[in-house]
Structures are given as structure tokens and as C-alpha cells.
Amino acid sequence: MGSVFNFPSWVRPLFLSVVCLTALAATPMAEARVRRYKWEVDYQMKSPDCYKKVTIAINGRTPGPTILAQQGDTVVVELKNRLLTENVAIHWHGIRQKGTPWADGTEGVSQCPILPGDTHVYKFVVDRPGTYLYHAHYGMQREAGLYGSIRVSVPDGVVEPFTYDEDRSLILADWWHKSTYEQATGLSSIPFGWVNEPESLLIQGRGRFNCSSLGPSDSTTGVCNATNPECSPYVLTVVPGKTYRLRVASLTSLSALNFQIEGHNMTVVEADGHYVEPFVIQSLNIYSGETYSVLVKADQDPSRNYWIATNVVSRPPKTAAGLAVFNYYPNHPRRSPPTPTPAAPAWNDTKTRLAQSQAIRARQGYIHRPPPTSNKTIIFLNTQNLIDGYNRWSVNNVSFTLPHTPYLIALKENLTDAFNQTPPPETYDYVNYDIYEVAPNKNATYSDGIYRLELNSTVDIVLQNANTMNKNNSETHPWHLHGHDFWVLGYGEGKFDPINDPKKFNLVDPIMKNTAPVHPYGWTALRFTADNPGVWAFHCHIEAHFFLGMGVVFAEGIDSVGMLPESIKGCGAVSKH
């Protein structure tokens, strides 16, 4: 057996780090640990796609550091806000925050934002193994690069229902050259300024923009530099014959994506922290906020490298494919694959994407069956509206706005003037509403009212998609629920029928997730148990759509919430004086 020192120089640091991490992971643990992280959030000039711009980074990195923990561990993140001009909050996406609703990291819902110069400590338990995320939840900061991975392993002695040799994480994102301030200003203006399609797609924080498409001033001043090593393709090195668990996550701000590895099959085994009845695919459709584990075997010709590619679907693609390299050791990682990049699927093939959503079922032996009936059904119609001339998104004709005092604080301290006490509508006129036409009444209303749920009740949510304000156009919306997992009972085309469609719900082996798409001109039915005292956002995970009002808030069991920490206060009616 050859020594590590006989390896090529470029692979030695990689090999040694893998050896060290493997040895660390193999160390037996008698009890749950405390995993401590010390982060500083600041501005960094970076060129993730070769175009230099201001990003928001953690400890100088974007994506930020990966949180590695084991089921039952306590994670403590000491976060220093070194942003000179803005607040910050970080949401731990997929972590249910049982007993710590104030640590959810959602500005306006679970906490006041962290002010410039301040330090805030997040402390929570990761109570389930799986693949999760963290990202900014203040304004549109996620779009500036403030995000990262959370990987929670099973306890010692527990065997997962599939095997693999190595574990890797990949975050997919889209990227704009305009700042989030410019984008937010456009979205809030008359005339409306849409964010438009992204300039690039990133794989693990790296992409490649065509600098030659810019004017000579940008190229001569170094604003866009195609030779910058920051934007060289991400390289995933594999050893022939080994099987890899790839934890693929999407934190796009707008785009639905298709992900593929040239010439390789992928077996889906996990979604949002739950085991999936395995199925084999050539490409994975993934929506913002979703995470999947796929098994990939390095079983192709090892004398060459292969493309990893991601492409925009569900919107007319105006962005080049995001590319990375699937590098077979010992080929050099910078050796380009000899073939063209894989062909992208048809962007408007909704039926194929719907079929893939419907194929995701809970794995046999790991099924958590939902309650057979629900106590309440809420139907949410997603629409695009005008309010006083401003473009907004609405749910049941109500466009959501965040209050100045976070809901958790207002409800716990009975601050009834902090937000509208009238709950929003629980349905819409589904008998007469035509989802295929531009709504004749475009006007909606603003509200910061919330839905109050009875603790431990079972709630059905039906997401109904419709036409936007443009003719013959309906968009994909990935909806994310904080504080819970939900059962995905079904997807359908057209208008949801509250009499007949529930008869077709999957109550046998539905997958549990925290994020699920509603497809164009379709519906998605979800069920969850309101068993987590706190206040929880439920919203479209597209940054601009939530910014424009596509979201709601659920409150449950507030009397059971413990004493709130003073660290989450300092704004609205609880301002520090």
C-alpha cells in the first residue's frame, strides 16, 4: 500500500484532512456533546462567479462553515455582527427548536434582529439526524451569501438503512451582481423593478460568469476577472469504485433547479432529514429550501473527469448552467471533462417535475403515519396583486407584513397593540375563482395578523397556485414551515376539490418534509401537528416573494413557552432605552 507522501502534491492536504475528520468522527461518544461555534458576520469583497461584489460572509467565507453534530447534541453559535450598516438574524432551517422557539432566528417572528456591533448567542438541540441548512432571515441577506450547511449524524451504534463510503455536502445557489439594497428598492417602488434572472448559478459558492459579455470598462478595471481562482469550478474528488452520499441542498433566491452528474445515476435516500424509499434518477429537481441525500457510485471510466451541472427549470432560462467537476482520482482536478456539458431538461416540463415530487415516499421501516383526520383545513391561494399601485404577493388576498415587535414577544407578554388581532382568511372563493385567468380584482390588503392554532391539533394546509398578473403564467413556489415537519399528502393539477381530492390523500407512506413546492396551476396538500409551542413562519422560500408578502405565521401553545431570554428583545415595544 502506497504512502500518502507518494500522492500528487495537490491531493495531500485533502487526503490528510479527510483522515483527520474520519478519525474524529470515529471517536466514541458516551453522551450528547456541546458543539460550540464562534462566528463573525461581515462584508467581504468576493468574486464567486468572477464578478467582484460585496458579499456577506461568516468568518470570511461564503458559504459559511459547516455545522457538524450528532443527534442529541447542543449547538451553541456565538455570533458577532460586524456589518457596519445593517442588522442580522440567522435561521436554522429544518431544526425544529423544540423548547427553544426564541432560537429559530427569524427576525420579526422569534427575535429582534442583532444590531451592528452586537453579539448574540444561539443555543439549540439538534434532535434528529439529517441534512439541514442555515441562512440569513433578515431582509434579503441570504441572497448576499449568508448561508451554510448543517449535517447531523446518527448516534453511535445506530446504523442507517443504506451504506456509503464518504459523505459530502453541496449547496446550490443563484447569484446576482446587483446588491440586495438595489433589488429591495426596485421591489418596493413604483414603477416596479423586478430582480430579473440571476447572472450565475453557484455550486458550493462557485460559478462562472462570462466576463466578455460586459463592457470594456468592467474588464479593464478588474471588476470581472475570468482567471480569478475564487471562481474556478468547485471540484468533488472521488475514488473509483467508492459510493458517495451527496447532501444536495438548494438555497436559491428565485430559481428552481435541475441537478445532474454527467453519466452517473443517483439514488435518492433522504429528503429534509427523513429517509426516502429509494428510487433511481438521472437528474434531481430541487427547489429552494429543500435538501436531499443521493447515493452516487464512482463506477464510470476513471481515466477522465465528468461534469456536475445545474440548470434553471420552471422559468424561461436566461442563466448559463452552473458547473462543477466530478473528479476521478488520480486525474488532476483542473482537468476539464472531454465532453460537452449535459443537456438541460425542458424548463417547462411541469409534468415530469410533478411526477418526481409524487415519487418521494417514506422508506419502509421508517414510516411515521399521519393522524387519519385533521382538526382544521386551511386553503391558501397564492396570487400576485396590486396594492395602492405596488406589486405584491398575497395569500387569500392578504399580503403579509412583519410587525416591529416580534410575535413571540408580543404574544408572551400580551402586547395586543403590537399587531393586528384579526386572523387572516382560512380559505378563498374556490367555487368561482378561475385559477387560469388574471384575477379581475387585483387589489389586496396588507396585514400582520396571524393564525392561532390549538396546541396538539392536526392541521391540513392546501397550497393552491393560480395565474399571476401576466397572462398564461403560473410560477413554482417552494413553501417552508418553521418549527415543524409536515406530511406531504398529495400534489395535484388544476384547482383543488375539497370534497373529492382528500379521498386521494396518501395516508400510508407520505414523506415528511419542511419544504415542498406547489407547481404551476397546481395544488399541494400538507398535514402537520401543532405540537411545538411557539410562533412559526410559513412562507414561500423565494426571497423576493416573501419580501413582497407571500407568507403567514402560526402561533400555538404560547402559555407553554418558557421565559423568554432578554437577548431576543430590543426592538418595537420592547426597545432598549
Side-chain angles (χ1 to χ4, degrees):
M1 181 174 177
S3 163
V4 65
F5 299 106
N6 293 327
F7 287 1
S9 59
W10 59 265
V11 84
R12 290 175 197 165
L14 172 66
F15 181 87
L16 290 172
S17 63
V18 169
V19 169
C20 293
L21 285 173
T22 303
L24 185 63
T27 303
M29 290 185 290
E31 57 186 20
R33 292 177 171 178
V34 177
R35 310 278 182 161
R36 298 186 183 276
Y37 295 85
K38 192 169 185 176
W39 291 355
E40 292 191 351
V41 176
D42 67 356
Y43 300 113
Q44 295 275 333
M45 291 297 296
K46 288 189 175 294
S47 305
D49 71 341
C50 305
Y51 186 95
K52 186 183 293 185
K53 64 169 285 188
V54 175
T55 65
I56 300 180
I58 297 175
N59 296 349
R61 298 164 53 186
T62 175
T66 296
I67 290 178
L68 298 174
Q70 193 171 32
Q71 181 180 2
D73 286 351
T74 297
V75 173
V76 179
V77 179
E78 181 183 321
L79 189 146
K80 174 83 170 181
N81 180 9
R82 291 199 176 276
L83 302 178
L84 302 177
T85 60
E86 57 189 309
N87 305 327
V88 75
I90 292 185
H91 168 55
W92 315 97
H93 183 113
I95 307 300
R96 293 177 295 180
Q97 302 294 347
K98 293 277 189 176
T100 53
W102 47 80
D104 188 53
T106 311
E107 182 268 335
V109 178
S110 62
Q111 72 168 93
C112 292
I114 307 165
L115 302 177
D118 281 1
T119 297
H120 181 83
V121 177
Y122 289 102
K123 182 178 181 180
F124 52 88
V125 173
V126 288
D127 64 334
R128 292 168 308 147
T131 306
Y132 309 105
L133 298 162
Y134 65 83
H135 59 79
H137 221 296
Y138 178 82
M140 294 171 65
Q141 288 177 339
R142 187 180 93 221
E143 195 175 294
L146 184 47
Y147 55 76
S149 297
I150 303 173
R151 187 191 304 174
V152 183
S153 60
V154 296
D156 292 335
V158 174
V159 178
E160 292 186 283
F162 45 84
T163 59
Y164 51 91
D165 298 298
E166 295 189 32
D167 196 340
R168 306 285 180 80
S169 297
L170 287 177
I171 296 181
L172 313 179
D174 43 15
W175 195 249
W176 283 260
H177 295 165
K178 279 189 176 180
S179 71
T180 56
Y181 317 114
E182 292 175 280
Q183 294 200 7
T185 300
L187 295 173
S188 307
S189 298
I190 300 176
F192 182 67
W194 177 235
V195 299
N196 296 318
E197 301 304 310
E199 270 78 26
S200 303
L201 300 179
L202 307 183
I203 299 178
Q204 203 59 20
R206 292 169 178 261
R208 181 60 63 93
F209 179 72
N210 180 10
C211 293
S212 63
S213 65
L214 300 174
S217 61
D218 287 322
S219 57
T220 56
T221 59
V223 170
C224 197
N225 179 3
T227 64
N228 190 325
E230 284 187 2
C231 59
S232 60
Y234 180 76
V235 175
L236 183 66
T237 300
V238 299
V239 174
K242 285 192 173 185
T243 298
Y244 293 81
R245 178 183 188 168
L246 300 187
R247 299 174 187 256
V248 185
S250 173
L251 277 176
T252 55
S253 295
L254 173 65
S255 311
L257 297 177
N258 180 270
F259 173 85
Q260 57 185 309
I261 302 174
E262 179 191 6
H264 293 72
N265 287 335
M266 297 181 285
T267 303
V268 181
V269 293
E270 180 223 348
D272 290 2
H274 293 275
Y275 296 133
V276 170
E277 186 65 19
F279 64 100
V280 178
I281 54 175
Q282 282 72 50
S283 65
L284 174 71
N285 295 305
I286 185 168
Y287 308 92
S288 180
E290 288 191 313
T291 67
Y292 289 98
S293 284
V294 296
L295 300 183
V296 181
K297 187 170 184 179
D299 58 1
Q300 298 302 301
D301 178 4
S303 68
R304 52 160 292 192
N305 293 334
Y306 297 82
W307 292 113
I308 299 174
T310 184
N311 287 276
V312 172
V313 292
S314 189
R315 301 178 68 83
K318 299 178 181 177
T319 309
L323 298 174
V325 175
F326 199 67
N327 164 230
Y328 270 72
Y329 177 81
N331 298 312
H332 196 280
R334 300 302 174 204
R335 182 179 172 190
S336 291
T339 46
T341 56
W347 71 269
N348 56 356
D349 186 359
T350 302
K351 287 188 178 296
T352 296
R353 291 187 291 111
L354 175 62
Q356 193 169 100
S357 293
Q358 293 170 328
I360 301 170
R361 303 295 182 95
R363 187 171 185 130
Q364 295 299 311
Y366 296 86
I367 297 171
H368 303 281
R369 288 191 175 171
T373 59
S374 65
N375 303 107
K376 176 194 287 285
T377 298
I378 305 176
I379 302 177
F380 288 140
L381 174 70
N382 300 331
T383 57
Q384 201 176 32
N385 301 76
L386 287 175
I387 305 180
D388 302 327
Y390 291 91
N391 281 54
R392 299 287 297 181
W393 281 95
S394 302
V395 178
N396 292 349
N397 224 39
V398 174
S399 188
F400 177 70
T401 59
L402 281 168
H404 294 296
T405 305
Y407 292 108
L408 181 61
I409 300 170
L411 288 165
K412 189 65 179 172
E413 301 191 2
N414 199 29
L415 305 174
T416 55
D417 293 335
F419 64 91
N420 189 337
Q421 298 297 302
T422 302
E426 294 188 359
T427 189
Y428 73 105
D429 184 7
Y430 54 80
V431 174
N432 297 309
Y433 193 94
D434 187 346
I435 66 169
Y436 297 101
E437 295 293 331
V438 176
N441 174 20
K442 298 178 183 178
N443 289 317
T445 59
Y446 293 106
S447 177
D448 57 8
I450 65 173
Y451 296 88
R452 300 175 192 241
L453 306 176
E454 185 178 343
L455 187 63
N456 295 319
S457 63
T458 300
V459 181
D460 279 2
I461 300 294
V462 178
L463 299 167
Q464 176 66 64
N465 223 336
N467 206 94
T468 66
M469 288 192 294
N470 300 318
K471 288 184 178 181
N472 303 315
N473 179 58
S474 182
E475 300 185 6
T476 300
H477 301 288
W479 277 75
H480 170 57
L481 178 61
H482 294 224
H484 307 77
D485 292 330
F486 48 68
W487 290 275
V488 183
L489 302 184
Y491 298 89
E493 298 176 283
K495 189 190 296 185
F496 178 76
D497 181 341
I499 303 299
N500 295 308
D501 283 329
K503 299 174 185 176
K504 297 177 281 187
F505 283 172
N506 175 20
L507 302 178
V508 177
D509 60 352
I511 190 64
M512 296 189 78
K513 294 182 94 269
N514 60 63
T515 306
V518 55
H519 295 284
Y521 297 115
W523 56 265
T524 300
L526 317 171
R527 177 171 294 175
F528 73 97
T529 303
D531 59 357
N532 192 5
V535 187
W536 310 105
F538 180 48
H539 61 93
C540 179
H541 213 257
I542 293 173
E543 282 279 65
H545 290 184
F546 184 43
F547 182 85
L548 292 171
M550 190 186 288
V552 300
V553 166
F554 298 122
E556 62 204 60
I558 297 300
D559 292 341
S560 301
V561 174
M563 183 178 295
L564 303 182
E566 290 298 313
S567 60
I568 68 167
K569 301 177 183 179
C571 61
V574 288
S575 295
K576 297 175 183 176
H577 299 289

